[in-house]
Amino acid sequence: MTTDSSADPQSLPSRAADAIEQASDTRALDVTARLGFAALALVHVLIGAIALRLAFGGNGEAEPTGALEEVAEGQFGTPILWVCAVGCAGLALWQLSEATLRARHLPTGKRIGKHISSGSLVLIYGSMAGTFARFALGDGPDSSESTVDFTRSLLTSNFGVVLVFVAAGVVLGIGVHFVVKGIRRTFRPELRKFEDTHRGRVIEVFGVVGHVAKGCALLLVGSLFVIAGLDRNPQESTGLDGSLKALQYHPMGVYVLTAIAVGLICYGIFAVIRSIFGRM
C-alpha cells in the first residue's frame, strides 16, 4: 500500500525548502549577485591603484573606504555606489541561499563547511552593501578608525586580549586561505568556461597573483591585530591602510608594497571576469 507524501507532515518542510530554493534560482538574483562581484572587483582595483600611488610617493587611503571615497568624488559617484550596494546585497542573499537551501543537499561534513564559509561571506558582503549605501548617502566611515575602535572595544571587554587574538586568528586564517587558494589554483572551477584555453591560462595568472596578494594583505592586517593584543594598544591595529603604509618604512618594503598593489589589481581583474563568466 502506497502512502500519500503530501499528507506526510514530515515532508512539508522539505517541500517548502525545495520551493524556496527554486524561487531563489532566478535570473534577477543571478544578475544582481554578478553585479556584487563586479563591485568588489572595483574596490580591489582602486585599493591596488592607491597602494601603487603610495609606493611611488603619492597619498591616499589604501583601504575599502579610501577606494569608495574616490568613487563618491566622481561625477557619477552616487549612482555607482547605489548600484554597488544593491549588487553586494544580492551577493549576500545568494550566499545565504548557498549556506542554507543548497547546503542541505551536501554530506554532513561538507554541509557544515558550507554553512561556515558561505555564512561568513553573507556577513562580509552584507557589510559591504551597507558601506556602499553609507557612502552613497554621504556618511562613509573611515575603516582605519573603525578598526582601531573595534580593537579598543575588544580590549576593554572581560576577555579583551583573547578576543583580539581570536579576531587576529580569523583574519590570518582568511589570509592563509586566499594564499593557498591562489597557489593550489582551487579557483579554477569558478571559470570552467575557459578551461584548457589560452585565455584560461592568462586568467589563471591573474587568479594566482591576485589571490596570493590579497592573502598577503590580510596576513599583514592580522599581524597588526596580534601586535595590538600583545601591546594592549588598539592604535597598533590600523587596518589595511596602516599595514600597507607601514611597509614604506621597512627595507625592501616599497617593493613588497608595489607587488601587493599590482596583485590586488590582478585580483580585481580576475573578479571582473568572474562576475561575467563565472559559475554561479
Side-chain angles (χ1 to χ4, degrees):
M1 178 178 179
T2 60
T3 58
D4 183 3
S5 62
S6 64
D8 181 7
Q10 296 295 326
S11 67
L12 292 178
S14 177
R15 287 189 287 116
D18 288 339
I20 296 172
E21 180 181 348
Q22 185 175 3
S24 69
D25 189 18
T26 63
R27 177 68 176 170
L29 182 58
D30 179 89
V31 171
T32 307
R34 290 181 186 277
L35 271 178
F37 278 121
L40 296 176
L42 173 65
V43 171
H44 282 86
V45 169
L46 288 175
I47 293 174
I50 294 169
L52 199 59
R53 201 162 65 212
L54 292 173
F56 287 94
N59 53 25
E61 295 185 21
E63 57 188 358
T65 57
L68 297 191
E69 282 176 5
E70 299 206 353
V71 174
E73 291 170 359
Q75 183 178 0
F76 302 103
T78 300
I80 291 173
L81 289 168
W82 279 120
V83 170
C84 290
V86 171
C88 284
L91 193 51
L93 285 174
W94 179 71
Q95 286 293 350
L96 181 61
S97 70
E98 289 285 303
T100 55
L101 299 173
R102 292 172 179 80
R104 63 197 174 95
H105 302 299
L106 300 173
T108 302
K110 290 184 177 180
R111 184 169 66 249
I112 294 173
K114 193 64 175 175
H115 287 332
I116 295 172
S117 61
S118 289
S120 299
L121 291 174
V122 171
L123 298 177
I124 292 171
Y125 296 149
S127 174
M128 283 300 300
T131 302
F132 274 114
R134 287 184 64 180
F135 271 95
L137 293 169
D139 184 34
D142 181 285
S143 64
S144 288
E145 292 180 3
S146 299
T147 306
V148 171
D149 292 340
F150 172 70
T151 307
R152 181 180 293 110
S153 68
L154 293 181
L155 286 172
T156 55
S157 62
N158 292 333
F159 302 96
V161 175
V162 174
L163 293 176
V164 171
F165 285 148
V166 170
V170 171
V171 176
L172 290 171
I174 297 173
V176 170
H177 165 75
F178 272 96
V179 172
V180 172
K181 185 176 182 179
I183 293 173
R184 298 183 63 183
R185 296 169 172 81
T186 54
F187 54 79
R188 282 174 172 172
E190 299 171 12
L191 287 164
R192 282 182 176 161
K193 177 183 177 69
F194 300 104
E195 193 172 15
D196 297 326
T197 66
H198 176 70
R199 279 187 292 179
R201 287 188 287 273
V202 174
I203 294 169
E204 188 173 294
V205 171
F206 284 116
V208 172
V209 174
H211 281 83
V212 171
K214 179 170 180 174
C216 289
L218 289 170
L219 290 174
L220 289 173
V221 175
S223 67
L224 290 184
F225 272 111
V226 173
I227 295 172
L230 291 174
D231 293 346
R232 291 174 171 75
N233 181 6
Q235 297 297 328
E236 297 285 0
S237 181
T238 53
L240 180 59
D241 181 61
S243 63
L244 293 180
K245 285 179 177 175
L247 291 174
Q248 296 174 300
Y249 305 102
H250 291 275
M252 305 295 292
V254 172
Y255 300 103
V256 176
L257 176 57
T258 302
I260 291 177
V262 172
L264 290 173
I265 294 172
C266 287
Y267 185 86
I269 295 171
F270 175 85
V272 169
I273 299 170
R274 168 77 173 83
S275 72
I276 300 171
F277 301 106
R279 177 178 57 84
M280 300 294 289

